[in-house]
Amino acid sequence: MRGLGPGLAVRRLLPLRLPPRPQRPPGPRLSSRPTVSGALDRAMDELLRRAVPATPVYELREKSPAPAEGQCADFVSFYGGLTEVAERAELLGRLAQGFGVDHGQVAEQSAGVLQLREQPREAAVLLQAEDRLRYALVPRYRGLFHHISKLDGGVRFLVQLRADLIEAQALKLVEGPHVREMNGVLKGMLTEWFSSGFLNLERVTWHSPCEVLQKISESEAVHPVKNWMDIKQRVGPYRRCYFFSHCSTPEEPLVVLHVALTSDISSNIQSIVKECPPAETEEKNKIAAAIFYSISLTQQGLQGVELGTFLIKRVVKELQKEFPHLGTFSSLSPIPGFTKWLLGLLNSQAKDHGRSELFTDSEYKEISAVTGCPLNETLKALLSSNEWVKSEKLAKALQAPLMRLCAWYLYGEKHRGYALNPVANFHLQNGAVMWRINWMADLSFKGITGSCGMMVNYRYFLEETATNSTSYLGSKNIKASEQVLNLVAQFQKNSKL
């Protein structure tokens, strides 16, 4: 690790680079199959024919030689030379569509298993038939990914390839079950390669290499870092910053967690990222709570791989070693999507009822009196900006209805039975309790426009997290505090949905 001296001077002089915006190819992106030139079309077909290994017959599956390393390297090199997102999407679409599972083999092996189950046979015969079926269900492109992973930098390449695939799906450049299947196969392989046994926990301090501090700054997705003094504060006294790296790429952050060491559970982010810590030297007797206030994934290709959960668990253990008396662990989390959800609700209410029925009559009158206009249209315009917080009267009038609406959004709005809000779903899966919704907790433009300035604490009672996680994942039960449940009850009573 680097010490002070020259490194410190460099940090003072270097400007903090902002994360580059992803380049997007020009033109519309609604076509599910982008077009490529005839020469590139033929080159793609030839590449895939050479690079994707054929599936050996079952009897020779362990005896067939691996494809030449150059074939996999050719694929990596060719793919890296494709500069347009649409071209990469086309290649990935062809790989998914043309080099997946042999459905004829699957049907044949399935019939064999069914036939054996209807006849009295030894268990070994049936088990081998089932193994043949499992073998037939492996798509051909999995062999390509497996061999690429053995190349120098191959795993990193596959992480980026999956990031490209996710982006292409979001842009509707590639669609369909074959693409979704390939994404799932890649995710499964990456989950194995990035399991906790292969991950290194590293702490970031002001003495860490400049490159690491730069990467941590650029990867911060929740509360953007403004300058070097800002990052210095976030890794200084009463703060902790940890990240996971992979054993193959030490000091390369994959997921980053920022922690504030406080006297109680923080109710607003300004006290953490705006105000200076109380002193340059930590006094352990002043530390009673650890607040997880930001967790950021640096590699989009690792979406869905359970890194954040592992990181929180490991960090809790590290903090308990450093502060044996520490017993309070909580997040201070954003509520992405709340304002968008609320605006959609206001629109649908206006269409169905002529005006919003999310507010009581007295609230409707009070807010209309402050704004001087009918509530519905005015409120939609106000919530789309941060202007409303400048009026103390309006903010006070909106506090009660927005707090109960937010509680319902977090607790009552579901996707397949689980919390609709992705941050809530993450912490609830980890076994946390939905503990407290905080008014005016994030006064940044992003906080006001994204969640009406509110944030939420998810509290981790360590002795209960396993039980809570099992209950949520198995029975879809959300463990919540009295404050949250009271707000939910107020919503159910006062909002006419």
Side-chain angles (χ1 to χ4, degrees), residues 304-481:
V305 179
E306 205 172 359
L307 297 177
T309 298
F310 292 146
L311 181 56
I312 287 178
K313 290 178 179 178
R314 289 277 294 275
V315 166
V316 166
K317 291 180 180 179
E318 286 296 308
L319 292 173
Q320 286 180 318
K321 289 178 187 177
E322 188 177 1
F323 306 101
H325 67 284
L326 190 60
T328 301
F329 297 90
S330 173
S331 78
L332 179 61
S333 300
I335 311 172
F338 170 66
T339 303
K340 182 179 179 181
W341 171 82
L342 179 55
L343 290 173
L345 208 56
L346 289 169
N347 279 328
S348 63
Q349 287 280 298
K351 289 178 182 177
D352 294 342
H353 306 287
R355 72 172 181 88
S356 173
E357 296 195 343
L358 301 176
F359 303 88
T360 64
D361 291 339
S362 61
E363 289 168 347
Y364 189 92
K365 291 176 182 177
E366 182 181 4
I367 298 169
S368 296
V370 174
T371 61
C373 303
L375 174 62
N376 198 50
E377 291 302 320
T378 304
L379 192 58
K380 284 191 289 184
L382 288 169
L383 293 180
S384 299
S385 70
N386 62 348
E387 293 299 312
W388 62 274
V389 296
K390 298 176 182 179
S391 167
E392 187 177 342
K393 287 185 178 180
L394 183 56
K396 185 178 179 181
L398 286 172
Q399 180 174 355
L402 290 186
M403 285 281 282
R404 68 171 183 261
L405 282 160
C406 185
W408 178 257
Y409 169 69
L410 292 171
Y411 184 89
E413 289 295 316
K414 304 292 177 63
H415 174 66
R416 297 177 180 174
Y418 299 105
L420 173 67
N421 183 265
V423 179
N425 188 53
F426 170 77
H427 287 291
L428 293 170
Q429 283 187 47
N430 294 342
V433 175
M434 192 178 290
W435 193 64
R436 185 176 68 194
I437 298 172
N438 303 293
W439 179 248
M440 293 291 108
D442 184 358
L443 298 178
S444 68
F445 179 80
K446 181 179 179 182
I448 295 296
T449 56
S451 58
C452 299
M454 288 178 282
M455 299 185 77
V456 56
N457 300 115
Y458 297 98
R459 189 163 175 184
Y460 285 79
F461 296 94
L462 301 184
E463 66 280 3
E464 299 176 8
T465 53
T467 302
N468 293 344
S469 177
T470 300
S471 178
Y472 179 69
L473 292 172
S475 304
K476 303 175 181 176
N477 294 325
I478 294 178
K479 186 76 175 289
S481 70

Side-chain angles (χ1 to χ4, degrees), residues 76 101 162 207 266 371 447 470:
V76 172
V101 170
R162 182 165 182 255
H207 307 297
S266 304
T371 61
T470 300

Side-chain angles (χ1 to χ4, degrees), residues 170-240:
L171 295 172
K172 308 293 186 185
L173 292 171
V174 286
E175 297 177 288
H178 293 91
V179 173
R180 292 193 295 272
E181 174 70 12
M182 190 168 77
N183 184 30
V185 169
L186 259 177
K187 176 186 170 184
M189 297 177 80
L190 292 171
T191 298
E192 292 180 8
W193 296 331
F194 287 86
S195 62
S196 57
F198 299 110
L199 300 174
N200 303 316
L201 180 67
E202 302 188 40
R203 179 182 166 189
V204 184
T205 70
W206 187 238
H207 307 297
S208 297
C210 288
E211 294 82 1
V212 172
L213 288 167
Q214 187 76 48
K215 290 173 183 175
I216 294 297
S217 302
E218 292 175 348
S219 68
E220 175 54 39
V222 186
H223 307 291
V225 176
K226 294 181 179 179
N227 50 44
W228 281 116
M229 294 309 296
D230 194 359
I231 191 64
K232 182 180 182 181
Q233 179 179 321
R234 299 193 196 193
V235 299
Y238 297 98
R239 301 291 182 265
R240 295 293 184 271

